[in-house]
Each structure stands twice: as structure tokens, then as C-alpha cells.
Amino acid sequence: METLKNAFDFSDFPRSDLVVAGVLALALAAFPFLSPSSFAMATMIQFFMFSIYGMGWNTIGGYGGQVDLGKAQYVGIGAYTTAVMLIRWDIPFWVSMPVGMCLSVMWSFIIGYPLFRLKGHYFAIATIATSLVLKDLFEVWDFVGAARGLEISPIKYHPPDFLRLIFRDDIYYYYIIFAFFLAGIVYINWFRKSRLGFQLRSIKDNEEVARSLGINVHWAKIKTYAIATAFVSVAGSFHACYIKNIEPEDTMSLDISILIALMAMLGGAGSLWGPIIGAGILIPLKSYLKEWLGARAGLVGIDLIIYALIIMVISAKEPRGIWGIVERVRRRKRRR
Amino acid sequence: MKILEVQHLVKEFGGLRANDDISFSLEKEELTGVIGPNGAGKTTLFNCIAGLHPVTSGRIFFDGRDITALKAHEVARLGLARTFQVYTAAGDLNVEENVMVGCFMRTASRTEARRRARRILAELNLEEHADALVSELPVAAQKQVTMATALGTAPKLLLLDEVAAGLNPSEIDQIMDTIRHLHHDLGITIVLIEHVMALVMNVCQRLVVLDYGKKIADGGPEDIADNPQVIKAYLGERYVAEHTGELS
């Protein structure tokens, strides 16, 4: 009961924030009725998915300060579990999604145990490595379609199929992922004020101090990594049903891992709204850049150049991202 | 009853013996100071006791239990808390939240952790700073926050590492009052490392003196002040030679 109350308790934010958040939530809820283009709808769905990835990343990467560049492997595990179970055994999304989550979490424990013996850059590099190894394995594993990937063919089903999450109209996907998105916010709101959330912030600051306050640092990191993983896996499962055509390259590539981390850092690592702000900026930017520039010869990699610039600016100017700037300005005002 | 017993503790870093065969024990509710020149091995001793460094040899007992091989978080959970010399509080947490981190060791409930944190802040007269970021506070208050955070873990034994360093005399008085309060009113056994002699001589009932990793003296403050070996460690061989020369 207390848990539930804490999860819905946003009272430590200024009222202005909550008004803005409420207005934006209403706008997002109304968005499909403003007759958006199918391109805009697709971008918004991507925005929600990446917000969820980012919220997951933010637990370990933001609150815990452990820069994880291997989140794509869990997008892959979630997506493949759902796709394989649906295609081979006709098992619906609502079953395969939790199964995928369990598999992801199990895998996260297996690799988390050794990974968290490492720190800083070494940890970041190791997460990249595990993710790439898993991707390579999937590329040669025939059971999951190897490099060709898997295709969920909608013809076999009768959309709208709410059990298997097969729809013809994006509006269904929009509201389902929107619901996951809101649930994610509520969960993170609870998490950040939970015992684990507090312990992580202490760990981020100084591990020796954290240990002397009775925190089992290694275990706290592994647990949080599993939570982050669960988030990513759920959105990954959704990705399979939504995109319907999954390959190792577009679920588990390094680009995705980096984009997830980058969004959260741009918006503000270690804050509730950060990953959402980051996704709100980068996902439309990415989509529209591809649309406007990507087709032209010679400009294919432009989005990567922009990411690189963003990384440089954040790390030089405000490591806590856009939300960090907001908070700094507020503190200064309050002190005056 | 002995709360802490250190037996023949040795800690080596490569070829350096930072702690060389140190033995001492503490009675419950004693207030002990560990003094010695820079590099004498005081902080290393704390780190060994608190489980942050694995010891090279020797044994450490806390409250009747052998804690030599325990990890830092396990030692903390048994009721042995410490503060750190370099000011350390989580940067993006405010004062109350920092203390809550300590309180979360004994409870998983946020409401309960907050209640305890508030009580501790009131106890140390820090309520007015509850919402401030620790980095915004004056140094003396910062030190008190680290003590409050350690208190959050409800310790039986508290190790304080240079809580008075860098403070002005009136702030030192303030810290001294806090330490006395913890000791007298809350009944916490305290060991403190300190260079500020005014504080050491005023509050400690007993002193352990280290020099080059070895324990060179152990006793009441008055005895220690007259101990020639201690004077030598602090002021040098020549000083002792000259002054004893004068006397004879």
C-alpha cells in the first residue's frame, strides 16, 4: 500500500512541472485524433519505445552512474522471444512478453555478475562486447532465422488481435505503448525514492562510503541492472509485434545501445524526466533527418555526426543533461 | 565488556607495512582517540577494522564476533559505522536524503527511513539544513551531516576520521559538543582519528598513538602528553635530546 502511494507521489516536483507534464500527457493522449501522418505516428511510437528503453537505462546508468552501452542485447532478447514464440507456437504477446523479460533478466544476472567487477570505462566497453557477441550468435543461429531474421506475417492473423498484438492500424500500437510508457514513469517514480534508488545514488557518488553504510554494492548494481533489463526487454517484445520483421542488425546493433544511453544523458541521466526529454528530442530528429537527408548520397551517416556532437557538448557543458540545466537554474533562483 | 578487539593487526601495501602488529581493545562506551603523525597508518587502521581493506594478518573482533574476513557492508550491518576524512555525501541528494541512505540499512520503508533521518537531524541540530544540498553547507555542517549519515545505521561503534580537520575554533567546539552528545547521551562507543589536539585532549578518555605503523603508546591523555616516545614522534629526536639535556 505504501509502495503504491509512493509510486504515485510526485509531490517533490514543483507544481509547474506537474502542470507541464499533465498537459503533455493529455496532448500525447489526444495526438492520434489530430489526424497525424502515418510517418508522425510511427515516430511517436518510436519515441515511446525509446523512452522506455531510456527509463530502463536510467536506473543503472543514471541513478547508479554505471554507463551501460549494451542495452540493445535485451531489445534483442525481448523481441526474439516474442517473435519466436508467436511464429513457432502461436503463443500470444501477453505470455511471451513476461517470458522474454525473465530470459533477459536471467541473462543479465549471468553477465552482470562478472561485468560489475569492472568499473568506469572498462564496464562500458564490456557491456558493448557482450551485446555484440550476442548479436553475432543470433546472426548464425538458424532457430531464430540467423541473419535473415524472423517475420511475423500479419496475414495469418485477424487484426485487430489484442492477444498477439497484431494490428493494421497504428493507433492500437500507439495506445498500448503509451500505457507501458505511463506505467514505466510510475515505476521509476517509485524506484528513485526506494531503498535501492537511494543506495544507488550513494554508490554513484562513492562506493567506499556506500559500503560502509551497509550497502552490498555489487549486488545492488546487479539487481538494478536486472530492472533496467526488464524495461528494455518489454519494449523489445513490443518492437517485435509492431515492426513484425526483426533482424539482429536492427534490434541488437551498437547504434541502438548508444542511442539509448545518449538519449538519457542528453535529457538528464539520473532524473525521472531526463530519458523522456532526450527521446523527445532525438527520436524525431533521427526520423526526420533520415527522411530529409538520409536518401541523398553522402549524407547517410549524418545522424551519427550529430550524436557525436551532442555527446561532446553534454560532457563539456553539463554532464547532467538538459534536466541538469533546469535544476541548476532553479537552485540559483531559489537561493536568491 | 570489550566491544572491539584488534589482535596483532598487520596491513601491507606491497612492501610498505602501513600497520605493523597493532593490538588494542576497547571497552563499551569508551571514547578513544587514535593519534599519530601523518602517514602513521591511522586511516589504514580504520579501513582494516571497517572491512574496506583485507588485512595481511591478525584478527579483529567486534562485539564478540570475528569480523576479520567480513566485507565492509557486512561489518556495517553488525553495527560498526565510520565517517571518511574527505568529505563525502551523495551530490544530488539533499541533507535529509543523505541521512536516509544510512537509515535504509535498518529499514526498507521510506517513511520509516525519513522518520529516523529527521530524528537524527533534530538530535544534531541540523533540521534547518534538511533541504539543502550538502555541498552548499559550511564545512562544519557538512562534517556533521556525514556523522548523521553514519548515525542513520544505528551503530554501536562509530569510527570518526578527522571530523575536525579544516574547522575554525568555534566550529571545533561545536563538533566537540556533538561528539560528547553522541557519547554521553546516546551511549555510542566512539573512536576518532584527529590531529586537532584541543579536541583530542578534551574529549578522549584514552589515546592510542601510532607512528610508522606501530603502536607506540596507549593510555589516558595526561600520560600520553608526557610520554617521551610520543613527543619524539611528533617533535623529533633532536627536540627531545635538547630539552631533556636542559632538564638534566
Side-chain angles (χ1 to χ4, degrees):
Chain A
M1 212 39 223
E2 194 200 323
T3 309
L4 209 62
K5 209 182 84 206
N6 284 339
F8 285 97
D9 175 14
F10 290 88
S11 59
D12 57 330
F13 288 105
R15 189 167 295 161
S16 58
D17 283 15
L18 300 179
V19 171
V20 171
V23 169
L24 285 177
L26 285 178
L28 287 171
F31 180 78
F33 294 101
L34 307 173
S35 53
S37 66
S38 61
F39 182 76
M41 272 302 262
T43 302
M44 288 310 290
I45 292 171
Q46 289 284 335
F47 157 72
F48 287 131
M49 282 165 52
F50 272 88
S51 291
I52 294 170
Y53 295 150
M55 283 186 237
W57 183 91
N58 194 33
T59 56
I60 188 70
Y63 293 112
Q66 310 297 309
V67 176
D68 174 357
L69 297 177
K71 275 284 157 272
Q73 60 194 317
Y74 304 110
V75 177
I77 295 175
Y80 271 97
T81 307
T82 292
V84 166
M85 289 177 84
L86 181 63
I87 293 168
R88 296 203 178 245
W89 305 302
D90 196 29
I91 295 170
F93 171 84
W94 301 104
V95 176
S96 65
M97 183 265 284
V99 171
M101 205 162 99
C102 291
L103 290 175
S104 291
V105 167
M106 272 159 58
W107 177 243
S108 85
F109 277 121
I110 293 168
I111 66 167
Y113 192 81
L115 273 182
F116 285 112
R117 296 274 169 220
L118 304 170
K119 284 191 183 130
H121 304 305
Y122 300 101
F123 171 77
I125 291 167
T127 56
I128 296 178
T130 56
S131 191
L132 291 183
V133 166
L134 202 70
K135 175 178 159 242
D136 284 353
L137 287 176
F138 273 65
E139 276 176 349
V140 294
W141 188 11
D142 279 329
F143 184 73
V144 298
R148 282 166 285 115
L150 291 171
E151 199 174 344
I152 298 170
S153 103
I155 318 158
K156 282 204 260 174
Y157 310 99
H158 306 284
D161 186 334
F162 284 94
L163 281 179
R164 298 178 184 80
L165 245 57
I166 305 293
F167 306 110
R168 238 179 237 118
D169 193 340
D170 270 1
I171 193 167
Y172 296 106
Y173 288 114
Y174 184 95
Y175 281 111
I176 287 169
I177 196 71
F178 184 44
F180 277 118
F181 168 83
L182 294 177
I185 292 176
V186 170
Y187 181 85
I188 298 290
N189 189 47
W190 169 79
F191 173 85
R192 73 191 171 93
K193 294 176 294 186
S194 70
R195 164 147 81 168
L196 187 57
F198 272 79
Q199 292 182 334
L200 273 182
R201 287 192 267 178
S202 171
I203 290 170
K204 175 185 180 177
D205 210 63
N206 187 323
E207 292 192 5
E208 289 208 330
V209 173
R211 267 188 268 152
S212 73
L213 293 173
I215 300 167
N216 185 342
V217 171
H218 193 228
W219 179 233
K221 286 179 182 173
I222 293 174
K223 268 195 290 192
T224 312
Y225 187 58
I227 291 171
T229 293
F231 264 76
V232 175
S233 178
V234 168
S237 289
F238 176 87
H239 172 94
C241 294
Y242 170 59
I243 301 285
K244 298 188 185 64
N245 186 352
I246 55 169
E247 296 161 28
E249 187 54 41
D250 57 37
T251 51
M252 295 165 135
S253 71
L254 181 59
D255 290 14
I256 294 173
S257 290
I258 290 182
L259 189 59
I260 292 171
L262 184 61
M263 273 172 357
M265 285 193 263
L266 171 68
S271 69
L272 179 60
W273 311 118
I276 302 167
I277 296 170
I281 293 170
L282 281 188
I283 297 302
L285 187 75
K286 182 177 127 104
S287 292
Y288 283 94
L289 273 178
K290 256 197 190 143
E291 178 88 348
W292 292 334
L293 301 168
R296 292 184 211 170
L299 287 170
V300 176
I302 191 106
D303 48 339
L304 295 176
I305 296 174
I306 290 174
Y307 298 164
L309 278 175
I310 292 173
I311 291 183
M312 286 193 281
V313 172
I314 302 172
S315 48
K317 290 286 174 199
E318 175 56 68
R320 290 176 61 216
I322 292 170
W323 194 253
I325 297 172
V326 173
E327 291 214 311
R328 206 171 47 189
V329 170
R330 268 193 195 148
R331 277 209 164 264
R332 207 174 297 156
K333 263 195 197 148
R334 195 161 5 131
R335 228 176 297 161
R336 241 182 252 146
Chain B
M1 201 198 133
K2 286 191 175 53
I3 189 158
L4 182 76
E5 192 165 359
V6 176
Q7 295 176 350
H8 304 292
L9 178 77
V10 176
K11 174 64 191 173
E12 287 176 348
F13 295 104
L16 179 80
R17 276 205 162 192
N19 284 163
D20 190 355
D21 195 26
I22 293 177
S23 299
F24 66 92
S25 60
L26 297 182
E27 296 295 320
K28 230 173 209 156
E29 300 195 2
E30 231 179 351
L31 207 171
T32 310
V34 176
I35 61 170
N38 285 324
K42 305 180 296 288
T43 298
T44 303
L45 177 66
F46 268 23
N47 285 339
C48 288
I49 295 171
L52 285 167
H53 290 338
V55 305
T56 309
S57 69
R59 300 213 140 304
I60 302 163
F61 294 88
F62 173 63
D63 218 10
R65 260 188 82 164
D66 186 346
I67 59 162
T68 318
L70 295 189
K71 298 197 176 96
H73 66 268
E74 297 165 330
V75 174
R77 286 176 194 175
L78 290 178
L80 198 160
R82 67 162 296 175
T83 67
F84 287 80
Q85 201 177 125
V86 182
Y87 147 69
T88 42
D92 57 351
L93 295 178
N94 67 27
V95 168
E96 181 180 284
E97 290 169 333
N98 261 291
V99 180
M100 280 170 72
V101 175
C103 298
F104 269 124
M105 192 179 92
R106 300 281 181 213
T107 174
S109 149
R110 189 163 79 99
T111 320
E112 174 65 16
R114 168 171 285 167
R115 206 173 54 78
R116 289 190 193 195
R118 289 205 172 135
R119 208 171 49 209
I120 292 167
L121 288 176
E123 194 84 55
L124 299 189
N125 293 320
L126 289 169
E127 297 137 304
E128 49 170 332
H129 299 309
D131 293 327
L133 282 185
V134 183
S135 53
E136 297 169 342
L137 298 181
V139 184
Q142 291 187 1
K143 300 263 186 181
Q144 282 173 313
V145 172
T146 63
M147 287 164 73
T149 307
L151 283 181
T153 65
K156 296 177 205 155
L157 173 62
L158 180 59
L159 309 181
L160 300 174
D161 196 348
E162 293 206 27
V163 280
L167 304 186
N168 66 35
S170 77
E171 290 170 331
I172 289 173
D173 285 343
Q174 198 185 327
I175 286 277
M176 242 185 309
D177 286 342
T178 309
I179 293 172
R180 282 208 193 95
H181 175 62
L182 301 183
H183 179 240
H184 287 288
D185 306 336
L186 304 181
I188 300 169
T189 314
I190 295 175
V191 185
L192 49 91
I193 291 178
E194 200 49 83
H195 281 298
V196 178
M197 282 304 147
L199 187 148
V200 173
M201 292 298 171
N202 260 310
V203 304
C204 294
Q205 301 163 328
R206 187 183 146 203
L207 293 177
V208 171
V209 190
L210 303 186
D211 189 27
Y212 290 109
K214 286 195 168 67
K215 186 175 99 171
I216 59 169
D218 185 344
E222 306 80 26
D223 310 332
I224 294 293
D226 296 334
N227 185 318
Q229 254 192 305
V230 175
I231 298 169
K232 195 170 81 187
Y234 271 93
L235 300 171
E237 202 125 355
R238 232 177 68 198
Y239 177 90
V240 177
E242 279 169 14
H243 286 256
T244 44
E246 264 171 35
L247 285 174
S248 56

